[in-house]
Amino acid sequence: MLKNKIKKVPVYNKQELLSYLAEKEESTLVIIVTSSGKTYKGIVVKVEGKDKDVILLLQIVSPEDIITENILHITIDKIESLEFIESQNVLNILSKGTVFDKIYDTSGKLQVKKALRRFSDVLQDTYGLKIGAPKIILPANGYELNRVLQLTEQLQHIMVNILEEEDALISWKASYDSITFIDDDSLKVIQNYKTIEIHFPFTNINLPEMPAKEVTAMILNVL
């Protein structure tokens, strides 16, 4: 059970955890509750300052999980609590990367197909890209399907971030019309005619999730 596994995790303060997210987990969603009771959902962009003047910059994510242009600027001491989204690797985050013991639920193929369509819909609604749902050969195992679902959501956030840059968006529109996820032993991003192929261990539930910085750099390299 998660409560037993949490016992393995060192206890870090808010600043340490938020700094780790900014440096190592760029695509991880977090919900913060302020001392005034307000709730914000977003991605940690930067943590900087000293003592009571430590500032968090949080890029706000909408209820539809679309990354907005809105930035919350708040001092750490005004943050009452942090909530990590259930689908994220909570143990890995709370341990600042020292404990990896991902807990997967089970998902069905229909759930994964909906997540793949949502990936396409978000890019179309946000940037006008008509690329269709990413193609992938789906496994039969429910835990492996859940990993594919979570990685799809992670890649959605990564792609939205990348395409915020005008040059990247222009290059994508000129070069690609589809995206494919390929279950492989290691991370690779390959241009295959008009398709971007993202190779990764999509179904190996014993391996860590996709490193956001590395995959971002690889995608930018083929744009």
Side-chain angles (χ1 to χ4, degrees), residues 100-124:
F100 184 84
D101 195 359
K102 178 70 178 184
I103 298 173
Y104 288 100
D105 295 320
T106 58
S107 294
K109 288 188 177 181
L110 181 59
Q111 288 176 283
V112 179
K113 289 177 180 178
K114 286 181 178 178
L116 292 166
R117 286 197 297 271
R118 187 163 57 248
F119 180 105
S120 172
D121 290 344
V122 167
L123 292 186
Q124 181 171 346

Side-chain angles (χ1 to χ4, degrees), residues 96-211:
K96 293 171 51 178
T98 62
V99 175
F100 184 84
D101 195 359
K102 178 70 178 184
I103 298 173
Y104 288 100
D105 295 320
T106 58
S107 294
K109 288 188 177 181
L110 181 59
Q111 288 176 283
V112 179
K113 289 177 180 178
K114 286 181 178 178
L116 292 166
R117 286 197 297 271
R118 187 163 57 248
F119 180 105
S120 172
D121 290 344
V122 167
L123 292 186
Q124 181 171 346
D125 293 344
T126 309
Y127 299 113
L129 296 181
K130 297 181 180 181
I131 63 171
K135 297 176 183 177
I136 183 172
I137 298 174
L138 295 178
N141 181 278
Y143 296 105
E144 294 177 357
L145 284 167
N146 188 247
R147 176 174 166 88
V148 173
L149 186 152
Q150 293 188 33
L151 289 172
T152 298
E153 293 175 343
Q154 183 187 11
L155 280 165
Q156 175 187 307
H157 295 306
I158 290 172
M159 287 300 304
V160 169
N161 274 337
I162 288 173
L163 296 174
E164 282 182 339
E165 298 295 331
E166 185 177 0
D167 289 347
L169 181 60
I170 292 172
S171 178
W172 178 281
K173 288 181 175 179
S175 305
Y176 300 106
D177 58 18
S178 62
I179 185 167
T180 299
F181 301 158
I182 297 178
D183 195 28
D184 208 339
D185 294 332
S186 60
L187 173 62
K188 297 187 289 287
V189 177
I190 298 172
Q191 178 179 4
N192 184 2
Y193 186 51
K194 299 281 284 184
T195 299
I196 277 188
E197 295 180 356
I198 299 179
H199 295 241
F200 191 69
F202 279 93
T203 62
N204 192 333
I205 61 176
N206 297 311
L207 293 179
E209 293 186 332
M210 193 170 288

Side-chain angles (χ1 to χ4, degrees), residues 44-64:
V44 178
V45 176
K46 190 175 184 180
V47 178
E48 193 170 276
K50 293 182 179 180
D51 302 323
K52 292 185 178 181
D53 293 325
V54 177
I55 303 296
L56 163 68
L57 297 182
L58 186 79
Q59 186 165 11
I60 301 300
V61 172
S62 73
E64 295 77 25

Side-chain angles (χ1 to χ4, degrees), residues 4 12-13 32-33 72 103 113 165 188 200 216:
N4 294 325
Y12 294 102
N13 63 35
I32 69 168
V33 179
L72 175 68
I103 298 173
K113 289 177 180 178
E165 298 295 331
K188 297 187 289 287
F200 191 69
T216 297

Side-chain angles (χ1 to χ4, degrees), residues 14-15 17-26 30 42-49 53-59 71-76 79:
K14 290 179 291 188
Q15 183 178 344
L17 284 176
L18 290 168
S19 295
Y20 174 76
L21 290 173
E23 295 170 7
K24 303 292 185 180
E25 298 280 345
E26 289 183 329
V30 63
I43 294 171
V44 178
V45 176
K46 190 175 184 180
V47 178
E48 193 170 276
D53 293 325
V54 177
I55 303 296
L56 163 68
L57 297 182
L58 186 79
Q59 186 165 11
I71 301 291
L72 175 68
H73 178 286
I74 186 172
T75 56
I76 295 291
I79 297 174

